[in-house]
Amino acid sequence: MPELPDVEGFRRVAEEAVKRQVRAVHVHDAQVLRDSSAEEFADALRRRYVAEPSRHGKWLMVPTASSAGGSPAAPWVLLHFGMTGSLRWCEHDAELHPHDRVVFDFADGELRYRDMRKLTGLHLAREQDEVDRQLDELGPDALEVGRDEFTERLTRTRRRIKPALMDQSIIAGLGNLCADEILWRSRINPARAATDLTSGEFGRVHGDMRSMLRQAIRVGRVPDRASWLTGHRDEPDPHCPRCSTALSRGRVGGRSTLWCPHCQPE
DNA sequence: GACCATGTTCCTAC
DNA sequence: GGTAGGAACATGGT
């Protein structure tokens, strides 16, 4: 699941816990902790209060405070969801899922980090510096970046447009599904060189990116509607929702790619 | 068993 | 140095 719209959904889930005190942290699988042991992680967060979470690209950042309304401070929990991660608010008596790797326990419920494949995980940032260092590796958030900076950053590279869009250091937040969806809306072939796009085409991609993300955020994930390209990914013989041409499948930048050969010509 | 999967990082080759 | 391709990571679905 997790691309920008999904992580924005998880941010809203994390908001449930704001001002609540962490009673305990149960680490069921320490493999998802990237830079701390289960003990360090749990000890650092126990009795801290959750402060306002923020999102940048596919990263969710949760600061803590020493009192319910206290100012956001270290330690922070930085969450990445890989390909299969999620965050959910659960009642205490809800049965533990086999993929619930870390549970944050509060008086009236719990926050669960669930992840099947464990490709990424949770970071404990003990100082503001560590949060900044993580953010430094990311480009501007896909929802925040303006048209001019968007164009400027993407024309700096000689790569193809799809892998460039998905490069988190250029623009943060877009994954495989979002990239395909945006390029289909903009009628741009995913294998075209980024430097080959005109200024008008970049304007279109930027606008389509924003509207696509806003619509997806409303439902907290990338929808699988029939009117969206993404809604046809898993079909054996998918057709373009716009012109009914048989869709093409291939690999671009090492990722499975779906596009319409009629709407998105080379 | 083979192949595929919404992500990231590391290695090699051109 | 930039770019592309492949493998690795860990797990499950078809």
Side-chain angles (χ1 to χ4, degrees), chain A residues 55-240:
Chain A
R55 179 195 58 73
H56 190 100
K58 301 175 190 173
W59 283 90
L60 179 61
M61 291 152 296
V62 185
T64 62
S66 52
S67 62
S71 51
W76 301 56
V77 182
L78 310 183
L79 302 92
H80 197 285
F81 299 91
M83 272 171 129
T84 51
S86 66
L87 190 67
R88 49 195 80 213
W89 178 262
C90 298
E91 302 298 321
H92 288 305
D93 56 4
E95 197 178 345
L96 199 69
H97 188 280
H99 301 146
D100 284 335
R101 311 295 186 184
V102 176
V103 176
F104 301 87
D105 179 62
F106 302 94
D108 53 354
E110 47 193 54
L111 220 42
R112 297 182 182 177
Y113 177 81
R114 185 176 298 180
D115 189 24
M116 180 180 79
R117 284 171 71 183
K118 300 185 284 186
L119 289 174
T120 57
L122 307 182
H123 296 249
L124 179 68
R126 297 170 177 83
E127 295 171 28
Q128 174 80 42
D129 265 12
E130 296 177 55
V131 181
D132 296 342
R133 240 177 289 140
Q134 190 61 246
L135 287 178
D136 280 348
E137 293 176 14
L138 301 175
D141 187 79
L143 260 187
E144 304 286 322
V145 66
R147 175 183 163 159
D148 291 347
E149 190 186 1
F150 178 78
T151 304
E152 193 271 320
R153 295 184 73 90
L154 285 165
T155 42
R156 246 190 255 164
T157 177
R158 285 177 303 179
R159 297 164 72 186
R160 295 165 297 177
I161 185 64
K162 173 170 173 177
L165 277 176
M166 289 178 61
D167 185 332
Q168 302 300 299
S169 69
I170 299 178
I171 303 291
L174 305 179
N176 199 33
L177 302 189
C178 287
D180 276 2
E181 187 68 37
I182 292 162
L183 291 171
W184 173 74
R185 290 182 177 214
S186 294
R187 302 173 189 248
I188 306 285
N189 187 284
R192 279 179 62 187
T195 45
D196 175 54
L197 269 64
T198 65
S199 161
E201 286 175 324
F202 272 116
R204 235 159 63 206
V205 177
H206 180 253
D208 288 331
M209 173 179 75
R210 290 182 63 84
S211 59
M212 178 263 173
L213 289 175
R214 277 198 303 263
Q215 291 174 59
I217 280 172
R218 242 176 269 145
V219 285
R221 63 192 194 88
V222 183
D224 53 1
R225 282 181 212 146
S227 59
W228 289 44
L229 180 77
T230 302
H232 303 271
R233 274 195 110 74
D234 298 330
E235 295 172 4
D237 182 26
H239 286 68
C240 177

